[in-house]
């Protein structure tokens, strides 16, 4: 079996998991090492004080100052020294080199246990037994040979933090979780980061941006392979859509030629035979068919590679001239177009598509509104909202979602008379979607149709 490499996803999960486990175990072991109930080195100030005490005891036993003390036996001298120093908070003990206690006092049970873990005066230690801290051993030179001295003191402070953790399983579990959390977050980030990049790339494709992302081919081997496959898919989609666009262009060229000849023949027939209802109908339908082919090609071009022409624009420069033209056109039709002041909001996109998208909606409102068309521009949370209202007949509630479909017409007879092809709102919907925006239709408060467009602004 091949050992999982660190470049693979399961290899990284395996490595981070075991590294986290190692850190947690080491942390717990270190906590136990810091536990005062295990043998530990004596702090320097306390060590010097005990060493000084051992030196004083050695001098008192070797060179007694008082005659009464000189006449005592060795054991009596030890008891005298022990008894004199005995108190409720501090006590010294003496043992032979073999560990036998001389002049037993209180806490001798704890002392016997401590002697088994610390019997080398070259490296004295201390250990906590309940609230009794025992330290030692310290060598004491006497005329009868060397003995060891130990010291016991009461631990009056609060229980050490280490003891509070080790003696409480819940707190120990909490510490374990705190230690492991950064590594687990690191693991979660390492696993989800490539997935988020792949998700973002998929969302861009869903919005019509068919561009390969080299960053997808980095990271763990599994995601690197998935990213390479995704980029290959995007390349294949580009090739397919480009082929479709070329096919539509070729079809358009082939259709326009006979349409042009048909209209020329109709014009010649009208010149020779005079105008007739049938010839006028043929010429109207031929013109309408030519317009429909042109709009269909515009929709096709809009859906392919339009993101490559994106640039940063301000809304006033982008739409002001078009709005003024539309306002003039509405006045020629004895209608009123009103809009609030455009500001220099910054937006990124294809200027031709954005102009065409809003213009199609406004011209529809001018065409089907009775006499009033209102536009409102507003910004909230880096989103530009555009509402277009008219006071025309509107669209039935059940058909509001269908008007953005290509070739869909609410009233065929009306559109046929007005020359509509059913592609204007489809072109607008495609352009808005490519700019990561939304568009929806509903009944207007003016009585006609309301179109609401939202577009993200630059941050």
């Amino acid at each position: 079996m091949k050992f999982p490499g660190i470049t693979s996803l399961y290899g990284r999960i395996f490595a981070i998991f075991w590294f986290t486990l190692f850190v947690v175990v080491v942390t717990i072991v270190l906590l136990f090492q810091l536990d005062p109930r295990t043998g530990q080195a004596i702090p320097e100030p306390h060590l010097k004080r005990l060493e000084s005490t051992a030196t004083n005891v050695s001098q008192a036993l070797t060179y007694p100052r008082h005659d009464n003390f000189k006449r005592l036996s060795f054991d009596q001298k030890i008891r005298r020294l022990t008894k004199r120093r005995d108190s409720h908070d501090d006590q010294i003990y003496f043992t032979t080199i073999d560990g036998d206690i001389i002049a037993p006092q209180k806490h001798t049970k704890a002392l016997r246990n401590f002697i088994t873990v610390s019997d080398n005066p070259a490296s004295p230690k201390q250990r906590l037994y309940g609230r009794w801290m025992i330290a030692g051993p310290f060598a004491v030179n006497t005329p009868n040979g060397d003995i060891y001295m130990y010291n016991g003191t009461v631990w009056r402070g609060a229980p050490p933090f280490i003891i509070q953790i080790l003696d409480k399983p819940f707190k120990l579990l909490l510490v374990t979780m705190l230690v492991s959390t950064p590594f687990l977050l690191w693991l979660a980030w390492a696993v989800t980061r490539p997935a988020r990049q792949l998700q973002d790339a998929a969302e861009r494709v869903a919005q019509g941006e068919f561009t390969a992302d080299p960053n997808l081919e980095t990271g763990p081997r599994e995601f690197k392979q998935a990213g390479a496959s995704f980029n290959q898919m995007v390349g294949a989609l580009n090739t397919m859509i480009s082929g479709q666009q070329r096919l539509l262009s070729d079809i358009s060229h082939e259709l326009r030629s006979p349409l042009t000849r048909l209209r020329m023949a109709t014009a010649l027939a009208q010149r020779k035979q005079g105008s007739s209802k049938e010839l006028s109908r043929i010429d109207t339908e031929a013109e309408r068919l030519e317009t429909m082919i042109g709009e269909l090609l515009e929709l096709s071009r809009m859906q392919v590679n339009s993101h490559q022409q994106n640039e940063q624009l301000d809304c006033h420069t982008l739409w002001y001239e078009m709005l003024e033209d539309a306002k003039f056109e509405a006045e020629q039709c004895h209608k009123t177009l009103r809009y609030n002041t455009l500001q220099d909001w910054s937006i990124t996109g294809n200027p031709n598509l954005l102009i065409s998208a809003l213009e199609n909606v406004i011209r529809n409102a001018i065409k089907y509104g009775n006499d009033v068309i209102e536009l409102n521009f507003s910004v909230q949370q880096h989103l530009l909202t555009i509402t277009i209202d008219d006071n025309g007949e509107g669209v039935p509630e059940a058909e509001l979602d269908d008007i953005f479909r290509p070739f869909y017409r609410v009233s065929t007879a009306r559109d046929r008379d007005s020359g509509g092809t059913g592609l204007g709102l489809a072109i607008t919907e495609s352009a808005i979607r490519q700019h990561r925006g939304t568009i929806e239709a509903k009944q207007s408060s003016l009585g006609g149709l309301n179109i609401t467009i939202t577009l993200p602004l630059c941050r």
Side-chain angles (χ1 to χ4, degrees):
M1 176 180 177
K2 184 180 179 181
F3 189 77
I6 201 66
T7 58
S8 67
L9 179 62
Y10 67 89
R12 292 188 178 185
I13 295 175
F14 180 84
I16 294 176
F17 171 78
W18 279 108
F19 182 70
T20 303
L21 185 62
F22 171 77
V23 171
V24 170
V25 171
V26 169
T27 302
I28 294 176
V29 170
L30 290 177
L31 287 178
F32 277 106
Q33 293 296 323
L34 296 174
D35 188 352
R37 293 170 299 185
T38 61
Q40 295 182 346
I42 304 173
E44 189 67 24
H46 189 43
L47 177 63
K48 290 182 177 180
R49 183 176 65 83
L50 293 177
E51 288 176 344
S52 177
T53 300
T55 302
N56 293 336
V57 169
S58 178
Q59 291 178 353
L61 291 174
T62 306
Y63 308 105
R65 295 182 180 181
H66 304 287
D67 293 337
N68 292 336
F69 191 75
K70 290 180 181 180
R71 289 192 291 265
L72 296 176
S73 66
F74 179 76
D75 291 344
Q76 288 175 334
K77 291 178 181 178
I78 292 296
R79 288 188 181 93
R80 178 72 63 85
L81 290 172
T82 304
K83 184 176 181 181
R84 189 172 63 183
R85 293 179 178 273
D86 186 16
S87 68
H88 296 292
D89 297 336
D90 195 351
Q91 181 177 329
I92 60 174
Y93 307 93
F94 296 98
T95 69
T96 64
I97 296 178
D98 295 331
D100 297 328
I101 299 176
I102 305 172
Q105 300 290 330
K106 61 182 181 180
H107 302 296
T108 54
K109 184 178 180 180
L111 177 61
R112 289 191 182 96
N113 181 271
F114 183 68
I115 292 172
T116 61
V117 297
S118 180
D119 58 357
N120 183 7
S123 59
K125 298 180 180 179
Q126 66 178 16
R127 185 173 181 179
L128 185 64
Y129 293 88
R131 299 185 68 83
W132 191 249
M133 179 71 78
I134 299 179
F138 299 92
V140 176
N141 300 318
T142 70
N144 293 24
D146 292 344
I147 60 174
Y148 291 160
M149 185 194 81
Y150 294 86
N151 176 257
T153 56
V154 175
W155 183 283
R156 292 195 175 277
F161 180 70
I162 302 300
I163 293 179
Q164 297 181 33
I165 293 176
L166 297 179
D167 287 352
K168 300 294 179 62
F170 177 77
K171 291 185 177 180
L172 182 60
L173 177 62
L174 183 61
V175 170
T176 303
M177 293 174 62
L178 290 176
V179 171
S180 61
T181 294
F183 299 99
L184 295 178
L185 289 176
W186 178 27
L187 173 62
W189 176 83
V191 171
T192 58
R193 180 172 176 269
R196 289 194 301 270
Q197 289 180 334
L198 191 60
Q199 178 187 3
D200 294 340
E203 289 177 354
R204 289 195 296 271
V205 171
Q207 294 166 358
E209 296 185 21
F210 300 100
T211 55
D213 186 356
N215 293 328
L216 296 179
E217 300 184 32
T218 60
R221 185 170 61 245
E222 292 84 355
F223 280 107
K224 187 184 298 184
Q225 293 171 350
S229 300
F230 185 88
N231 286 337
Q232 290 176 2
M233 179 193 71
V234 170
L237 283 174
N238 273 324
T239 302
M240 181 180 67
I241 295 175
S242 298
Q244 181 187 30
Q245 185 183 20
R246 286 194 299 271
L247 177 63
L248 286 174
S249 298
D250 293 342
I251 292 175
S252 171
H253 178 74
E254 295 300 325
L255 287 176
R256 278 177 169 171
S257 296
L259 276 175
T260 302
R261 291 194 294 269
L262 176 63
R263 297 193 66 184
M264 290 178 62
T266 303
L268 290 174
Q270 288 177 338
R271 182 177 300 176
K272 289 181 179 180
Q273 302 177 8
S275 178
S276 67
K277 186 176 181 180
E278 290 78 9
L279 290 175
S280 297
R281 182 61 180 269
I282 292 173
D283 185 63
T284 299
E285 292 298 331
E287 182 181 2
R288 182 171 177 271
L289 183 58
E290 187 174 6
T291 302
M292 184 181 298
I293 291 173
E295 292 185 353
L296 184 61
L297 286 173
E298 181 182 356
L299 177 63
S300 175
R301 286 193 298 269
M302 193 174 296
Q303 293 175 342
V304 182
N305 296 333
S306 60
H307 58 277
Q308 295 179 356
Q309 303 172 9
N310 286 352
E311 54 185 275
Q312 188 165 331
L313 312 156
D314 70 86
C315 295
H316 184 274
T317 304
L318 179 65
W319 285 312
Y320 178 75
E321 186 175 345
M322 181 272 295
L323 289 174
E324 288 297 307
D325 290 343
K327 185 176 181 180
F328 177 79
E329 181 180 334
E331 291 173 352
Q332 301 307 307
C333 300
H334 305 290
K335 299 179 182 182
T336 302
L337 172 64
R338 297 191 291 263
Y339 64 91
N340 60 334
T341 304
L342 266 173
Q343 299 186 25
D344 296 335
W345 299 305
S346 183
I347 189 170
T348 300
N350 184 312
N352 294 329
L353 293 189
L354 290 173
I355 293 173
S356 176
L358 187 57
E359 185 177 18
N360 285 338
V361 178
I362 293 175
R363 293 192 183 280
N364 269 355
I366 294 173
K367 182 184 297 184
Y368 299 118
N370 290 334
D371 55 4
V372 175
I373 300 94
E374 292 185 353
L375 273 78
N376 182 67
F377 298 88
S378 61
V379 171
Q380 188 175 9
Q381 297 180 349
H382 298 285
L383 280 179
L384 172 65
T385 302
I386 309 171
T387 58
I388 303 98
D389 292 272
D390 65 67
N391 63 344
E393 297 181 3
V395 174
E397 189 78 26
E399 300 182 57
L400 288 174
D401 293 335
D402 297 326
I403 61 176
F404 300 107
R405 287 165 38 197
F407 303 110
Y408 185 84
R409 288 170 292 185
V410 177
S411 172
T412 304
R414 182 193 69 181
D415 283 348
R416 190 177 298 276
D417 293 338
S418 62
T421 62
L423 284 172
L425 290 179
I427 292 173
T428 297
E429 191 273 340
S430 176
I432 296 301
R433 179 169 49 82
Q434 288 186 50
H435 288 81
R436 300 183 298 280
T438 61
I439 182 171
E440 62 176 352
K442 58 184 178 181
Q443 301 296 338
S444 171
S445 58
L446 299 181
L449 182 66
N450 169 277
I451 299 292
T452 301
I453 298 172
T454 62
L455 290 166
L457 296 176
C458 298
R459 292 183 179 271

